[in-house]
Amino acid sequence: MSAKALDYDQINENVKKAQYAVRGELYLRASELQKEGKKIIFTNVGNPHALGQKPLTFPRQVVALCQAPFLLDDPNVGLIFPADAIAKAKLYLSYTSGGLGAYSDSRGLPGIRKEVAEFIGRRDGYPSDPELIYLTDGASKGVMQILQTVIRCQGDGILVPVPQYPLYSAAISLFGGSLVPYYLEENANWGLDINNLRQSVAEARYKGITVRAMVIINPGNPTGQCLSIDNLKEILKFCYQENLVLLGDEVYQQNVYQDERPFISSRKVMLDMGPPISKELQLISFHTVSKGFLGECGQRGGYFEMTNIPPESVDEIYKVASISLSPNVPGQIFMGCMVSPPQPGDISYDQFIRESKGILESLRKRAHMMTDGFNSCKNVVCNFTEGAMYSFPQIKLPPKAIEAAKSAGKVPDVFYCLKLLEATGISTVPGSGFGQKEGVFHLRTTILPAEGDMPAIMESFKKFNDAFMDQYGNNIGYSRM
Amino acid sequence: MSAKALDYDQINENVKKAQYAVRGELYLRASELQKEGKKIIFTNVGNPHALGQKPLTFPRQVVALCQAPFLLDDPNVGLIFPADAIAKAKLYLSYTSGGLGAYSDSRGLPGIRKEVAEFIGRRDGYPSDPELIYLTDGASKGVMQILQTVIRCQGDGILVPVPQYPLYSAAISLFGGSLVPYYLEENANWGLDINNLRQSVAEARYKGITVRAMVIINPGNPTGQCLSIDNLKEILKFCYQENLVLLGDEVYQQNVYQDERPFISSRKVMLDMGPPISKELQLISFHTVSKGFLGECGQRGGYFEMTNIPPESVDEIYKVASISLSPNVPGQIFMGCMVSPPQPGDISYDQFIRESKGILESLRKRAHMMTDGFNSCKNVVCNFTEGAMYSFPQIKLPPKAIEAAKSAGKVPDVFYCLKLLEATGISTVPGSGFGQKEGVFHLRTTILPAEGDMPAIMESFKKFNDAFMDQYGNNIGYSRM
């Protein structure tokens, strides 16, 4: 019998090479256990609503009304919807031709793109052009489209931080390019050392790779660090010197849990630096409705903004977006509500502020609870989660545990995370899924479990971990940190 | 100054090669004219709501309630939502963990996938396995994912009907494969001649191309034909003999406007044929909420179903879907409402039937009005739109018009369609965007303008066309049809 087109050994090798640990072995095992009736705490993915975060009321009211425009004529609508949500729904419906059921322009609704541009303008203090803002089905889709535009062949390299969010490694594999790692320094609070970056590029070039783009994730995923202005300036200068396009993954810009380094966009730093960098450096930055205080992951709303990209290339990006016709329109409405929220004096203002502040303040508390919890465990050290939604503790595995993992045919941190899952129901992602220095092991967990559940979860973790360390011997021989 | 990564001459050549005429030159010009204040009738894309089709009430009620679950506790909710929509919303929310704002499994919500499987089972008379059904952000995204899985290199060929829907040519370019055309026979009501198909494959092989997959679009886009069972059997046998995976684009399965050849799925025909074909032929079929009577294009809901695909390949397809986390959840709810509509006895049943029947009956009338209108024009012949949403008339351009187009630096049918747009505001897509035999010219228009507007539109078309033919001389020299 001849081979068929979709037999495993016949399919695209790049598809097979792509790895995505966030929904990998650990997630699959957790799903199995859940089916068997075990209570699972899914902290493998930043999915706030799945762990009990309530949606903000106002954006949901607006989208519900847009979905059911016949309600706007119902005499009873005022009984269950506030007037400002009704007005906003009418405004957004006026942006469409045919409501949420019609394809929008492939770049998104012009009215929403204008609101995004105004938001960026207010944030950075420099006006932004709606024509250079494209709405997407979540930030991931935007990242994938841009990587596909950049990557021409296996010799094209993309600089990616390690540890990294595996969207990048997976998409680079899928499009047949090469990932060029640069290491974040765990000892320096996951900061970036520009000399390491230079060395990474030199090594890649030695191997014949053409480095074409650099990814930064700020605030960091999985590492949680917030980049300083100085660090950002160094990065921008470096990209300019090396003719790299900078891909700024800034989806956690509202998720900051310390006050020393508030979020500052790479675009603002770049424009502050003035020419030639402000006029020439190619920058694409990404944002989403899935993170921040909205946490509307399931709605799949995102955007990217292009700076200093030549118009002919912008046109090509538009053309490719057109092939999928349009991003989902409800997700675009959520984006509108995110960048253009209720204002002081609006009926829904107080509730909106109360809800959104409540979420961010609770996340800040949980970041502390989690970091402190990890640091109270045997052989575990963890940098503070300055931003984003994750803790990334280092787990110092004793040699006996590493041996046991080897015998079980598992990577050591996968071995540890599987045991943790079976013992406690806590579903994490092993550090190897994000990249880490050799011989050093981590896990990533979100800080999203409800505040009230956090003490019990951290206690359960500590109980498992400390018993694990006792079982395999506390002697870790040496410390890497 | 050195070249930068996103300079036009530096980006991925496959991106530049991809063409997507549905939103190409004609669409861009139409958008410009609209900005200048001209009234444009957008018939370039099957976007029913944009041309005034009202959304079905029931699915919109269900999704609105899912978006605003706090309404379910509001004592006034019963005043504006019927009880069966409330019950359905509660059911669908019980399928999620965290409502519409949480990522679902990357394959979609298990509860909805089960409903899709039941729908397919009822339709075909053979049970379907929910584990082999993946929900997507519209059918296009599913098609693109599968083509990416199949295409390994430029030598991999995909058989695509010509004329074709340009998603296929664009995606094949984007993923670096080769399109292998097979021609549909305009003289035989756009049917498929299996000998032509064999010849296409032989020619491709002679050029060194490995043909790996075959696309059928049934009902046809842009051609509107409905394939007969005999034709489908020949196709299935051919794919089996040649070890091709069959990609069945069946998004128009509810849009059929004649009674001689009702829609029959390629899966049903295959399973009716029995072994070995039913057990071995690899088939992937696609469906959507954008077409049929829902027409919910902007919601981006779709699915694909895999038959006879090895489990290891199914796992790879799952992994790649995971990289984008999950299809949008509201689109999944629309899919649920489409495959599991109100039943006799439900409060909303009569309204649902009235609305959906009304849309399909009107589309049937419009298919006739449009075909008849085209056939009343000078030098225009048009097969009847048996299904889907398009008319694809042949425009027999006089030699003088072809010369005039050449002088203007335009492809002849682009020239004609631009003139039509400027004169009447009717935005169509030139046949060259779909592929056509050399020296033969067409345009594609949707049959979606409102029934009441149709006479005026066809009159406006006829007036333009007949004057155009008079201007360039009626002598067309020879007939190709």
Side-chain angles (χ1 to χ4, degrees):
Chain A
M1 214 168 69
S2 307
K4 297 191 185 67
L6 280 178
D7 287 353
Y8 182 75
D9 60 350
Q10 296 295 306
I11 65 178
N12 183 347
E13 285 298 323
N14 290 335
V15 162
K16 289 189 237 176
K17 270 185 222 155
Q19 295 301 330
Y20 190 69
V22 171
R23 296 221 165 160
E25 180 177 357
L26 261 289
Y27 169 73
L28 296 175
R29 179 69 188 133
S31 301
E32 270 174 31
L33 288 171
Q34 189 183 39
K35 265 193 189 164
E36 291 166 15
K38 190 172 172 76
K39 190 175 172 275
I40 301 296
I41 303 149
F42 282 102
T43 70
N44 59 304
V45 56
N47 196 6
H49 292 201
L51 291 172
Q53 183 180 306
K54 292 271 164 292
L56 297 197
T57 305
F58 181 77
R60 288 299 190 97
Q61 288 169 329
V62 172
V63 173
L65 285 164
C66 290
Q67 285 287 15
F70 37 85
L71 294 183
L72 296 170
D73 305 323
D74 191 299
N76 293 311
V77 68
L79 294 175
I80 55 177
F81 289 96
D84 55 354
I86 294 172
K88 190 87 161 176
K90 284 182 180 167
L91 174 71
Y92 283 159
L93 287 174
S94 80
Y95 288 176
T96 72
S97 58
L100 304 197
Y103 295 125
S104 70
D105 186 276
S106 309
R107 299 164 296 188
L109 294 165
I112 303 283
R113 292 161 66 209
K114 190 161 162 280
E115 292 189 2
V116 172
E118 287 160 1
F119 156 78
I120 294 173
R122 286 192 305 274
R123 185 194 66 188
D124 293 345
Y126 297 97
S128 163
D129 180 357
E131 293 297 304
L132 300 174
I133 293 163
Y134 285 17
L135 306 183
T136 55
D137 286 309
S140 300
K141 287 281 165 65
V143 167
M144 291 173 86
Q145 201 200 327
I146 298 303
L147 286 174
Q148 184 168 34
T149 310
V150 172
I151 296 170
R152 302 165 302 186
C153 60
Q154 223 192 326
D156 277 355
I158 312 290
L159 276 164
V160 173
V162 171
Q164 54 115 19
Y165 174 52
L167 162 65
Y168 294 96
S169 48
I172 292 167
S173 293
L174 208 52
F175 299 128
S178 294
L179 185 148
V180 180
Y182 65 91
Y183 288 88
L184 302 179
E185 287 305 319
E186 189 163 11
N187 290 330
N189 230 11
W190 295 116
L192 183 162
D193 179 341
I194 203 83
N195 293 320
N196 286 354
L197 190 60
R198 280 187 218 289
Q199 200 184 328
S200 295
V201 171
E203 280 172 24
R205 289 197 178 135
Y206 183 75
K207 289 183 200 157
I209 289 172
T210 310
V211 180
R212 312 236 312 135
M214 174 170 178
V215 173
I216 57 171
I217 311 175
N218 181 37
N221 175 4
T223 43
Q225 89 287 0
C226 296
L227 292 177
S228 66
I229 294 183
D230 286 344
N231 228 185
L232 280 166
K233 278 187 188 164
E234 285 182 308
I235 292 165
L236 290 160
K237 218 170 131 187
F238 179 77
C239 288
Y240 172 72
Q241 288 164 343
E242 304 290 341
N243 287 314
L244 308 180
V245 54
L246 180 63
L247 307 183
D249 180 337
E250 301 179 333
V251 298
Y252 298 102
Q253 58 189 264
Q254 290 171 311
N255 299 102
V256 174
Y257 314 121
Q258 41 74 38
D259 303 313
E260 297 76 40
R261 283 188 302 290
F263 171 76
I264 180 163
S265 76
S266 41
R267 178 176 177 273
K268 176 173 174 49
V269 176
M270 179 174 100
L271 296 179
D272 282 348
M273 287 169 86
I277 290 185
S278 63
K279 294 278 186 205
E280 293 188 24
L281 177 63
Q282 299 182 335
L283 168 69
I284 301 185
S285 53
F286 302 89
H287 201 5
T288 184
V289 304
S290 300
K291 310 302 173 188
F293 42 76
L294 260 75
E296 292 279 7
C297 301
Q299 313 281 357
R300 315 310 287 119
Y303 76 75
F304 58 84
E305 188 204 17
M306 298 170 276
T307 311
N308 296 330
I309 311 299
E312 313 81 46
S313 300
V314 171
D315 286 349
E316 292 295 321
I317 292 167
Y318 181 16
K319 184 187 69 184
V320 171
S322 298
I323 301 171
S324 329
L325 292 162
S326 88
N328 87 79
V329 182
Q332 300 181 40
I333 305 296
F334 277 102
M335 182 56 82
C337 291
M338 182 177 96
V339 297
S340 163
Q343 294 304 304
D346 292 352
I347 303 165
S348 298
Y349 179 74
D350 288 344
Q351 185 187 27
F352 187 88
I353 294 296
R354 193 170 60 245
E355 290 176 349
S356 54
K357 261 199 167 171
I359 289 167
L360 288 183
E361 280 168 9
S362 171
L363 282 173
R364 184 182 278 242
K365 275 188 229 158
R366 284 179 270 172
H368 282 282
M369 289 163 96
M370 207 149 215
T371 312
D372 293 349
F374 284 129
N375 283 320
S376 80
C377 294
K378 282 188 188 168
N379 296 353
V380 178
V381 284
C382 188
N383 281 321
F384 175 60
T385 298
E386 299 176 343
M389 292 185 168
Y390 312 96
S391 272
F392 197 64
Q394 185 181 149
I395 315 291
K396 304 188 178 201
L397 293 175
K400 276 189 194 163
I402 296 174
E403 273 165 45
K406 238 177 238 172
S407 313
K410 299 283 177 199
V411 174
D413 54 8
V414 174
F415 178 79
Y416 176 92
C417 290
L418 278 171
K419 293 261 180 209
L420 172 68
L421 172 66
E422 307 272 350
T424 65
I426 304 173
S427 162
T428 60
V429 187
S432 47
F434 304 90
Q436 51 199 355
K437 290 187 177 167
E438 218 189 307
V440 186
F441 304 104
H442 299 82
L443 62 81
R444 188 189 81 167
T445 170
T446 68
I447 60 167
L448 296 175
E451 206 178 310
D453 298 340
M454 200 62 100
I457 290 172
M458 293 316 293
E459 198 176 314
S460 160
F461 177 86
K462 184 175 168 61
K463 200 177 137 202
F464 159 79
N465 175 79
D466 292 3
F468 179 97
M469 295 301 169
D470 286 345
Q471 183 187 348
Y472 290 103
N474 279 317
N475 176 15
I476 51 170
Y478 57 95
S479 167
R480 286 275 185 161
M481 179 136 171
Chain B
M1 213 169 71
S2 305
K4 298 193 183 68
L6 280 178
D7 287 353
Y8 182 75
D9 60 350
Q10 296 294 306
I11 65 177
N12 182 348
E13 285 298 323
N14 290 335
V15 162
K16 290 189 236 174
K17 269 185 221 154
Q19 295 302 329
Y20 190 69
V22 171
R23 297 224 165 157
E25 181 178 356
L26 262 288
Y27 169 73
L28 297 175
R29 179 69 189 130
S31 301
E32 270 173 31
L33 288 172
Q34 190 182 39
K35 267 194 188 164
E36 291 165 15
K38 189 172 171 75
K39 191 178 171 271
I40 301 295
I41 303 149
F42 281 102
T43 71
N44 59 304
V45 56
N47 196 6
H49 293 202
L51 291 173
Q53 182 178 308
K54 291 271 164 293
L56 297 197
T57 306
F58 182 78
R60 288 298 190 97
Q61 288 169 330
V62 172
V63 172
L65 286 164
C66 290
Q67 285 287 15
F70 37 85
L71 294 183
L72 296 170
D73 305 323
D74 191 300
N76 293 312
V77 68
L79 294 175
I80 53 177
F81 288 97
D84 55 354
I86 294 172
K88 189 88 161 178
K90 285 183 179 165
L91 174 71
Y92 283 159
L93 287 174
S94 80
Y95 288 176
T96 71
S97 58
L100 304 196
Y103 294 125
S104 70
D105 187 276
S106 308
R107 298 166 295 188
L109 294 164
I112 303 283
R113 293 160 66 209
K114 191 161 161 279
E115 292 189 2
V116 172
E118 287 160 0
F119 156 78
I120 295 173
R122 286 193 305 274
R123 184 194 67 188
D124 293 347
Y126 297 96
S128 163
D129 179 357
E131 293 297 305
L132 301 174
I133 293 163
Y134 286 16
L135 306 183
T136 55
D137 286 308
S140 301
K141 287 281 166 64
V143 167
M144 291 173 85
Q145 201 200 327
I146 298 302
L147 285 174
Q148 185 168 33
T149 310
V150 172
I151 296 169
R152 302 164 301 187
C153 61
Q154 222 193 325
D156 277 354
I158 312 291
L159 276 163
V160 172
V162 171
Q164 54 114 23
Y165 174 53
L167 162 65
Y168 294 96
S169 48
I172 292 166
S173 292
L174 208 52
F175 299 128
S178 294
L179 185 148
V180 179
Y182 65 91
Y183 288 89
L184 302 178
E185 286 305 319
E186 188 164 12
N187 291 329
N189 231 8
W190 296 116
L192 183 162
D193 180 341
I194 203 83
N195 293 319
N196 286 354
L197 189 60
R198 279 186 218 291
Q199 200 184 329
S200 295
V201 171
E203 280 172 23
R205 288 199 177 132
Y206 182 76
K207 290 183 199 157
I209 289 172
T210 309
V211 181
R212 310 232 320 131
M214 175 170 176
V215 173
I216 56 170
I217 310 175
N218 181 38
N221 175 3
T223 43
Q225 89 288 0
C226 296
L227 292 177
S228 67
I229 294 182
D230 286 345
N231 229 186
L232 281 165
K233 278 187 188 164
E234 284 182 309
I235 291 165
L236 289 159
K237 218 170 132 187
F238 178 77
C239 288
Y240 172 72
Q241 287 164 344
E242 303 290 342
N243 288 313
L244 308 180
V245 54
L246 179 63
L247 307 183
D249 180 336
E250 300 178 334
V251 298
Y252 297 102
Q253 57 189 265
Q254 289 172 311
N255 298 101
V256 174
Y257 314 121
Q258 41 73 39
D259 302 313
E260 297 76 40
R261 283 189 302 290
F263 172 75
I264 180 163
S265 76
S266 42
R267 177 176 177 273
K268 177 176 174 48
V269 176
M270 180 174 100
L271 296 180
D272 281 349
M273 287 169 87
I277 290 183
S278 63
K279 294 279 187 203
E280 294 188 23
L281 178 62
Q282 298 182 335
L283 169 69
I284 300 185
S285 53
F286 302 89
H287 202 4
T288 184
V289 304
S290 300
K291 310 301 173 187
F293 42 76
L294 260 76
E296 291 280 8
C297 301
Q299 314 280 358
R300 316 308 288 119
Y303 77 74
F304 58 84
E305 188 205 17
M306 298 171 275
T307 311
N308 296 329
I309 311 298
E312 313 81 45
S313 300
V314 171
D315 287 348
E316 293 295 319
I317 293 167
Y318 181 17
K319 184 187 70 184
V320 171
S322 298
I323 301 171
S324 328
L325 292 160
S326 86
N328 86 80
V329 181
Q332 300 182 40
I333 305 296
F334 277 102
M335 182 57 81
C337 291
M338 182 177 96
V339 297
S340 163
Q343 294 305 303
D346 292 351
I347 303 164
S348 299
Y349 178 74
D350 287 345
Q351 186 187 26
F352 187 88
I353 293 296
R354 193 170 59 246
E355 291 175 349
S356 55
K357 261 198 167 172
I359 289 167
L360 288 182
E361 281 169 7
S362 170
L363 283 172
R364 184 183 278 242
K365 277 187 227 158
R366 284 179 269 172
H368 282 281
M369 288 163 96
M370 207 149 215
T371 312
D372 292 349
F374 283 129
N375 282 320
S376 78
C377 294
K378 282 187 186 166
N379 296 354
V380 178
V381 285
C382 187
N383 281 320
F384 175 59
T385 298
E386 299 176 344
M389 292 185 168
Y390 312 96
S391 271
F392 196 64
Q394 185 181 148
I395 314 291
K396 303 186 178 204
L397 293 175
K400 277 189 192 163
I402 296 173
E403 273 164 43
K406 238 178 238 171
S407 312
K410 300 282 177 198
V411 175
D413 53 9
V414 173
F415 179 78
Y416 176 91
C417 290
L418 278 170
K419 293 262 180 208
L420 172 68
L421 172 67
E422 308 273 350
T424 65
I426 304 174
S427 161
T428 60
V429 187
S432 47
F434 304 91
Q436 51 199 354
K437 289 187 177 167
E438 219 189 306
V440 186
F441 304 105
H442 300 82
L443 62 80
R444 188 189 81 167
T445 170
T446 68
I447 59 166
L448 296 175
E451 206 179 310
D453 298 339
M454 199 61 100
I457 290 172
M458 293 316 293
E459 198 175 315
S460 160
F461 177 86
K462 184 176 169 61
K463 200 177 136 202
F464 159 79
N465 174 80
D466 291 3
F468 179 97
M469 294 301 169
D470 286 343
Q471 182 186 347
Y472 292 103
N474 280 317
N475 177 16
I476 51 168
Y478 57 95
S479 166
R480 285 277 185 161
M481 178 139 173

